[in-house]
Amino acid sequence: MTGRCVDVPIYVEKEAYNMNVMVYDQFYREKIILHNRSSTAMKIQLFFPRDFKPYLEFNPTLGFIQGNGKFEIWAKLKPDRSILQTCSRFLVKQNEEPPKDEYEEFTMRIPVKVTGANQVLPVKFSLLCVFTVNAVTFTPPLVDFGNVFNQQAASCVITLENHSLLPQQYSFVRMPK
């Protein structure tokens, strides 16, 4: 008697999809491609933790992959700050220290499972996200030039600090002459 091990028919291109750095309250999309090694079409269904329902959606969550074909699923994620409390068990621990300040970045791994009809083992992959703020602070918070007389110049040093992991653009507009 002989046996042979064959891979499961449905599989995903990557085990982890890195969605990189995300700013709160912005939409992000990622294309996930599933493949079918089998020569027959298979029905698939996608599942993810309910905790992510307000932030994450997949389109479609149910479909058929043609034989020896591929199937595209789009993930759409719009995180806000509440995701840190609602889905805290999915945070990737960097270290055991508490956050240093309100601007600290957080990394989260979202597990996703795809089941195929007549496929005993589910296909598992994850979405990896790093959350950051869209914040720039000014020091000092209030600029006071004091008494400035006609035909006299005054200056003040202003320091801008970017708390985001992403570069930020800034400008000073509608300044008085």
Side-chain angles (χ1 to χ4, degrees), residues 68-85:
N68 298 316
K70 63 183 181 178
F71 189 76
E72 289 182 1
I73 296 174
W74 283 90
K76 183 171 87 172
L77 182 64
K78 185 180 181 188
D80 61 32
R81 280 206 176 255
S82 67
I83 197 170
L84 299 177
Q85 286 77 37

Side-chain angles (χ1 to χ4, degrees), residues 4-19:
R4 193 175 92 176
C5 181
V6 180
D7 290 325
V8 292
I10 304 297
Y11 68 98
V12 68
E13 277 187 339
K14 301 180 210 173
E15 288 183 31
Y17 286 85
N18 189 349
M19 296 186 76

